[in-house]
Short mmCIF file of all heavy atoms in Angstrom, two decimals:
data_model
loop_
_atom_site.label_atom_id
_atom_site.label_comp_id
_atom_site.label_asym_id
_atom_site.label_seq_id
_atom_site.Cartn_x
_atom_site.Cartn_y
_atom_site.Cartn_z
N ASP U 119 -19.76 -11.79 13.33
CA ASP U 119 -18.73 -10.80 12.97
C ASP U 119 -18.18 -11.09 11.58
O ASP U 119 -18.06 -10.20 10.73
CB ASP U 119 -17.57 -10.84 13.98
CG ASP U 119 -17.96 -10.27 15.33
OD1 ASP U 119 -18.89 -9.46 15.38
OD2 ASP U 119 -17.31 -10.65 16.32
N MET U 120 -17.83 -12.35 11.34
CA MET U 120 -17.19 -12.70 10.08
C MET U 120 -18.13 -12.59 8.90
O MET U 120 -17.71 -12.38 7.77
CB MET U 120 -16.57 -14.09 10.19
CG MET U 120 -15.32 -14.09 11.07
SD MET U 120 -14.40 -15.64 11.02
CE MET U 120 -15.35 -16.62 12.16
N GLU U 121 -19.43 -12.72 9.15
CA GLU U 121 -20.39 -12.60 8.07
C GLU U 121 -20.47 -11.18 7.53
O GLU U 121 -20.78 -10.96 6.37
CB GLU U 121 -21.77 -13.06 8.54
CG GLU U 121 -21.89 -14.57 8.66
CD GLU U 121 -23.25 -14.99 9.21
OE1 GLU U 121 -23.90 -14.15 9.87
OE2 GLU U 121 -23.65 -16.14 8.98
N GLN U 122 -20.19 -10.19 8.37
CA GLN U 122 -20.30 -8.81 7.93
C GLN U 122 -18.93 -8.15 7.66
O GLN U 122 -18.86 -6.99 7.35
CB GLN U 122 -21.06 -7.97 8.97
CG GLN U 122 -20.36 -7.85 10.32
CD GLN U 122 -21.10 -6.91 11.25
OE1 GLN U 122 -21.42 -5.78 10.88
NE2 GLN U 122 -21.40 -7.38 12.46
N MET U 123 -17.87 -8.95 7.75
CA MET U 123 -16.54 -8.36 7.59
C MET U 123 -16.17 -8.22 6.12
O MET U 123 -16.31 -9.15 5.34
CB MET U 123 -15.50 -9.19 8.33
CG MET U 123 -15.63 -9.09 9.84
SD MET U 123 -14.49 -10.16 10.71
CE MET U 123 -12.96 -9.28 10.44
N GLU U 124 -15.69 -7.05 5.79
CA GLU U 124 -15.17 -6.80 4.44
C GLU U 124 -13.88 -7.59 4.26
O GLU U 124 -13.07 -7.72 5.19
CB GLU U 124 -14.89 -5.30 4.28
CG GLU U 124 -14.27 -4.91 2.95
CD GLU U 124 -15.27 -5.00 1.81
OE1 GLU U 124 -16.48 -4.98 2.08
OE2 GLU U 124 -14.83 -5.08 0.66
N ASN U 125 -13.67 -8.14 3.08
CA ASN U 125 -12.46 -8.90 2.78
C ASN U 125 -11.35 -7.92 2.42
O ASN U 125 -11.15 -7.56 1.27
CB ASN U 125 -12.73 -9.86 1.62
CG ASN U 125 -11.55 -10.79 1.37
OD1 ASN U 125 -10.45 -10.56 1.87
ND2 ASN U 125 -11.78 -11.82 0.60
N ILE U 126 -10.62 -7.46 3.43
CA ILE U 126 -9.60 -6.45 3.17
C ILE U 126 -8.40 -7.04 2.42
O ILE U 126 -7.61 -6.30 1.84
CB ILE U 126 -9.12 -5.75 4.46
CG1 ILE U 126 -8.58 -6.75 5.49
CG2 ILE U 126 -10.22 -4.90 5.05
CD1 ILE U 126 -7.95 -6.07 6.69
N SER U 127 -8.26 -8.37 2.40
CA SER U 127 -7.21 -8.98 1.59
C SER U 127 -7.39 -8.64 0.12
O SER U 127 -6.43 -8.41 -0.61
CB SER U 127 -7.21 -10.50 1.76
OG SER U 127 -6.76 -10.86 3.03
N ALA U 128 -8.65 -8.63 -0.33
CA ALA U 128 -8.93 -8.29 -1.74
C ALA U 128 -8.54 -6.85 -2.02
O ALA U 128 -7.95 -6.53 -3.06
CB ALA U 128 -10.40 -8.52 -2.04
N HIS U 129 -8.84 -5.95 -1.08
CA HIS U 129 -8.47 -4.54 -1.27
C HIS U 129 -6.95 -4.37 -1.24
O HIS U 129 -6.38 -3.56 -1.98
CB HIS U 129 -9.11 -3.69 -0.18
CG HIS U 129 -10.60 -3.63 -0.26
ND1 HIS U 129 -11.26 -2.97 -1.27
CD2 HIS U 129 -11.55 -4.17 0.52
CE1 HIS U 129 -12.56 -3.09 -1.09
NE2 HIS U 129 -12.76 -3.83 -0.02
N LEU U 130 -6.29 -5.15 -0.38
CA LEU U 130 -4.83 -5.07 -0.32
C LEU U 130 -4.21 -5.51 -1.64
O LEU U 130 -3.28 -4.87 -2.15
CB LEU U 130 -4.32 -5.94 0.83
CG LEU U 130 -2.82 -5.92 1.09
CD1 LEU U 130 -2.53 -5.94 2.59
CD2 LEU U 130 -2.13 -7.11 0.45
N SER U 131 -4.73 -6.58 -2.24
CA SER U 131 -4.20 -7.05 -3.53
C SER U 131 -4.42 -6.02 -4.63
O SER U 131 -3.56 -5.81 -5.48
CB SER U 131 -4.86 -8.38 -3.90
OG SER U 131 -4.52 -9.38 -2.98
N GLU U 132 -5.60 -5.37 -4.62
CA GLU U 132 -5.87 -4.32 -5.61
C GLU U 132 -4.91 -3.15 -5.44
O GLU U 132 -4.39 -2.62 -6.42
CB GLU U 132 -7.32 -3.83 -5.46
CG GLU U 132 -8.36 -4.87 -5.88
CD GLU U 132 -9.76 -4.43 -5.52
OE1 GLU U 132 -9.91 -3.29 -5.01
OE2 GLU U 132 -10.70 -5.20 -5.75
N LYS U 133 -4.67 -2.76 -4.20
CA LYS U 133 -3.75 -1.65 -3.94
C LYS U 133 -2.33 -2.03 -4.33
O LYS U 133 -1.59 -1.20 -4.88
CB LYS U 133 -3.81 -1.28 -2.46
CG LYS U 133 -3.05 -0.04 -2.06
CD LYS U 133 -3.59 1.21 -2.73
CE LYS U 133 -4.93 1.62 -2.20
NZ LYS U 133 -5.38 2.91 -2.78
N ALA U 134 -1.95 -3.28 -4.10
CA ALA U 134 -0.61 -3.74 -4.49
C ALA U 134 -0.43 -3.68 -6.00
O ALA U 134 0.64 -3.29 -6.50
CB ALA U 134 -0.37 -5.16 -3.98
N ALA U 135 -1.46 -4.08 -6.76
CA ALA U 135 -1.39 -4.01 -8.22
C ALA U 135 -1.26 -2.57 -8.69
O ALA U 135 -0.51 -2.27 -9.64
CB ALA U 135 -2.63 -4.66 -8.82
N GLU U 136 -1.96 -1.67 -8.01
CA GLU U 136 -1.87 -0.25 -8.35
C GLU U 136 -0.47 0.28 -8.09
O GLU U 136 0.11 1.00 -8.89
CB GLU U 136 -2.91 0.52 -7.51
CG GLU U 136 -2.86 2.02 -7.67
CD GLU U 136 -3.79 2.70 -6.68
OE1 GLU U 136 -4.85 2.13 -6.36
OE2 GLU U 136 -3.44 3.81 -6.22
N TYR U 137 0.11 -0.10 -6.95
CA TYR U 137 1.47 0.36 -6.60
C TYR U 137 2.52 -0.23 -7.53
O TYR U 137 3.56 0.39 -7.78
CB TYR U 137 1.79 -0.03 -5.16
CG TYR U 137 1.09 0.78 -4.11
CD1 TYR U 137 1.21 0.46 -2.75
CD2 TYR U 137 0.29 1.88 -4.44
CE1 TYR U 137 0.57 1.20 -1.77
CE2 TYR U 137 -0.36 2.62 -3.48
CZ TYR U 137 -0.22 2.27 -2.15
OH TYR U 137 -0.85 3.00 -1.17
N ALA U 138 2.28 -1.44 -8.01
CA ALA U 138 3.25 -2.07 -8.91
C ALA U 138 3.35 -1.29 -10.22
O ALA U 138 4.41 -1.29 -10.87
CB ALA U 138 2.84 -3.51 -9.19
N GLU U 139 2.25 -0.65 -10.63
CA GLU U 139 2.28 0.17 -11.85
C GLU U 139 2.86 1.54 -11.60
O GLU U 139 3.59 2.08 -12.42
CB GLU U 139 0.86 0.31 -12.41
CG GLU U 139 0.28 -0.99 -12.95
CD GLU U 139 -1.06 -0.79 -13.60
OE1 GLU U 139 -1.50 0.39 -13.73
OE2 GLU U 139 -1.69 -1.78 -13.97
N GLN U 140 2.55 2.12 -10.46
CA GLN U 140 3.06 3.46 -10.13
C GLN U 140 3.32 3.53 -8.64
O GLN U 140 2.40 3.41 -7.84
CB GLN U 140 2.05 4.53 -10.55
CG GLN U 140 2.39 5.88 -10.01
CD GLN U 140 2.54 6.92 -11.11
OE1 GLN U 140 2.00 6.77 -12.17
NE2 GLN U 140 3.31 7.94 -10.84
N LEU U 141 4.57 3.75 -8.25
CA LEU U 141 4.90 3.81 -6.83
C LEU U 141 4.28 5.06 -6.21
O LEU U 141 4.34 6.15 -6.78
CB LEU U 141 6.42 3.85 -6.65
CG LEU U 141 7.19 2.61 -7.09
CD1 LEU U 141 8.68 2.80 -6.86
CD2 LEU U 141 6.71 1.37 -6.34
N PRO U 142 3.68 4.92 -5.03
CA PRO U 142 3.07 6.08 -4.37
C PRO U 142 4.14 6.99 -3.75
O PRO U 142 5.27 6.56 -3.50
CB PRO U 142 2.20 5.43 -3.29
CG PRO U 142 2.92 4.16 -2.97
CD PRO U 142 3.51 3.68 -4.26
N ILE U 143 3.74 8.21 -3.49
CA ILE U 143 4.64 9.19 -2.88
C ILE U 143 4.44 9.16 -1.37
O ILE U 143 3.30 9.23 -0.90
CB ILE U 143 4.36 10.60 -3.42
CG1 ILE U 143 4.60 10.63 -4.93
CG2 ILE U 143 5.23 11.64 -2.71
CD1 ILE U 143 4.19 11.93 -5.58
N PRO U 144 5.50 9.04 -0.59
CA PRO U 144 5.34 9.01 0.88
C PRO U 144 4.81 10.35 1.39
O PRO U 144 5.19 11.41 0.89
CB PRO U 144 6.76 8.74 1.38
CG PRO U 144 7.65 9.23 0.28
CD PRO U 144 6.92 8.97 -0.99
N PRO U 145 3.94 10.33 2.39
CA PRO U 145 3.31 11.58 2.84
C PRO U 145 4.18 12.46 3.72
O PRO U 145 3.95 13.66 3.82
CB PRO U 145 2.09 11.08 3.63
CG PRO U 145 2.45 9.71 4.08
CD PRO U 145 3.33 9.14 3.02
N HIS U 146 5.21 11.89 4.37
CA HIS U 146 5.97 12.68 5.34
C HIS U 146 7.46 12.76 5.03
O HIS U 146 8.21 13.38 5.79
CB HIS U 146 5.82 12.08 6.75
CG HIS U 146 4.42 11.79 7.16
ND1 HIS U 146 3.87 10.54 7.12
CD2 HIS U 146 3.44 12.62 7.60
CE1 HIS U 146 2.60 10.59 7.53
NE2 HIS U 146 2.32 11.83 7.81
N THR U 147 7.91 12.11 3.97
CA THR U 147 9.34 12.02 3.68
C THR U 147 9.63 12.55 2.29
O THR U 147 8.94 12.18 1.33
CB THR U 147 9.84 10.57 3.79
OG1 THR U 147 9.56 10.08 5.10
CG2 THR U 147 11.33 10.48 3.51
N ASP U 148 10.64 13.39 2.17
CA ASP U 148 11.08 13.87 0.87
C ASP U 148 12.04 12.84 0.28
O ASP U 148 13.12 12.62 0.82
CB ASP U 148 11.78 15.22 1.03
CG ASP U 148 12.24 15.80 -0.31
OD1 ASP U 148 11.94 15.18 -1.37
OD2 ASP U 148 12.90 16.85 -0.31
N PRO U 149 11.68 12.19 -0.84
CA PRO U 149 12.54 11.14 -1.41
C PRO U 149 13.81 11.67 -2.06
O PRO U 149 14.68 10.88 -2.44
CB PRO U 149 11.63 10.47 -2.47
CG PRO U 149 10.24 10.97 -2.19
CD PRO U 149 10.41 12.31 -1.58
N GLU U 150 13.94 12.98 -2.21
CA GLU U 150 15.10 13.55 -2.87
C GLU U 150 16.38 13.15 -2.15
O GLU U 150 16.53 13.31 -0.93
CB GLU U 150 14.97 15.09 -2.89
CG GLU U 150 16.06 15.79 -3.68
CD GLU U 150 15.99 15.52 -5.18
OE1 GLU U 150 14.87 15.25 -5.67
OE2 GLU U 150 17.04 15.55 -5.84
N GLY U 151 17.33 12.59 -2.91
CA GLY U 151 18.61 12.18 -2.35
C GLY U 151 18.57 10.89 -1.57
O GLY U 151 19.54 10.55 -0.89
N LYS U 152 17.46 10.17 -1.67
CA LYS U 152 17.32 8.93 -0.91
C LYS U 152 17.02 7.77 -1.86
O LYS U 152 16.54 7.96 -2.97
CB LYS U 152 16.20 9.05 0.12
CG LYS U 152 16.40 10.18 1.12
CD LYS U 152 15.23 10.28 2.07
CE LYS U 152 15.39 11.45 3.03
NZ LYS U 152 15.37 12.75 2.34
N GLU U 153 17.31 6.56 -1.40
CA GLU U 153 17.05 5.34 -2.18
C GLU U 153 15.97 4.52 -1.49
O GLU U 153 16.05 4.27 -0.28
CB GLU U 153 18.34 4.53 -2.30
CG GLU U 153 18.16 3.22 -3.06
CD GLU U 153 19.43 2.40 -3.10
OE1 GLU U 153 20.52 2.97 -2.87
OE2 GLU U 153 19.34 1.17 -3.32
N LEU U 154 14.96 4.11 -2.26
CA LEU U 154 13.87 3.32 -1.70
C LEU U 154 14.33 1.88 -1.49
O LEU U 154 14.69 1.18 -2.44
CB LEU U 154 12.65 3.35 -2.63
CG LEU U 154 11.44 2.54 -2.18
CD1 LEU U 154 10.90 3.06 -0.85
CD2 LEU U 154 10.34 2.57 -3.25
N LEU U 155 14.30 1.42 -0.25
CA LEU U 155 14.67 0.05 0.08
C LEU U 155 13.46 -0.87 0.11
O LEU U 155 13.51 -1.99 -0.38
CB LEU U 155 15.36 0.01 1.45
CG LEU U 155 16.73 0.67 1.56
CD1 LEU U 155 17.19 0.64 3.00
CD2 LEU U 155 17.74 -0.02 0.66
N CYS U 156 12.38 -0.40 0.74
CA CYS U 156 11.19 -1.23 0.90
C CYS U 156 9.94 -0.41 0.67
O CYS U 156 9.87 0.75 1.06
CB CYS U 156 11.13 -1.81 2.31
SG CYS U 156 12.43 -2.95 2.71
N LEU U 157 8.96 -1.04 0.04
CA LEU U 157 7.60 -0.51 -0.04
C LEU U 157 6.68 -1.70 0.14
O LEU U 157 6.61 -2.57 -0.72
CB LEU U 157 7.33 0.19 -1.37
CG LEU U 157 5.86 0.59 -1.60
CD1 LEU U 157 5.38 1.53 -0.50
CD2 LEU U 157 5.68 1.22 -2.96
N ASN U 158 5.99 -1.74 1.27
CA ASN U 158 5.19 -2.90 1.61
C ASN U 158 3.80 -2.51 2.08
O ASN U 158 3.60 -1.41 2.60
CB ASN U 158 5.88 -3.72 2.71
CG ASN U 158 7.26 -4.17 2.31
OD1 ASN U 158 7.47 -4.60 1.19
ND2 ASN U 158 8.21 -4.04 3.20
N LEU U 159 2.87 -3.42 1.90
CA LEU U 159 1.51 -3.27 2.38
C LEU U 159 1.25 -4.33 3.44
O LEU U 159 1.72 -5.46 3.32
CB LEU U 159 0.51 -3.45 1.23
CG LEU U 159 0.44 -2.30 0.24
CD1 LEU U 159 0.04 -2.83 -1.13
CD2 LEU U 159 -0.56 -1.26 0.69
N TYR U 160 0.46 -3.95 4.45
CA TYR U 160 0.18 -4.88 5.54
C TYR U 160 -1.25 -4.64 6.00
O TYR U 160 -1.69 -3.49 6.10
CB TYR U 160 1.17 -4.65 6.68
CG TYR U 160 1.07 -5.63 7.81
CD1 TYR U 160 1.39 -6.96 7.61
CD2 TYR U 160 0.66 -5.23 9.07
CE1 TYR U 160 1.30 -7.87 8.65
CE2 TYR U 160 0.58 -6.13 10.12
CZ TYR U 160 0.90 -7.46 9.90
OH TYR U 160 0.81 -8.35 10.93
#
């Protein structure tokens, strides 16, 4: 199993670097009038 598993940690780090440059837009929530407390990847 582990021999064929993609290293998703590497993809997570790449996505985190992308988000650090430009915050993504939430798909279901209108940010208008709200303050962002947390943006996390897991």
Side-chain angles (χ1 to χ4, degrees):
D119 289 336
M120 288 189 278
E121 285 177 338
Q122 64 175 309
M123 290 176 73
E124 177 72 20
N125 186 346
I126 57 173
S127 289
H129 294 291
L130 183 141
S131 295
E132 291 171 3
K133 187 63 71 175
E136 175 187 327
Y137 286 175
E139 292 185 6
Q140 169 123 24
L141 295 179
I143 299 173
H146 310 101
T147 302
D148 181 5
E150 185 67 28
K152 302 177 183 65
E153 178 184 340
L154 179 62
L155 293 175
C156 295
L157 172 59
N158 302 317
L159 287 150
Y160 186 66

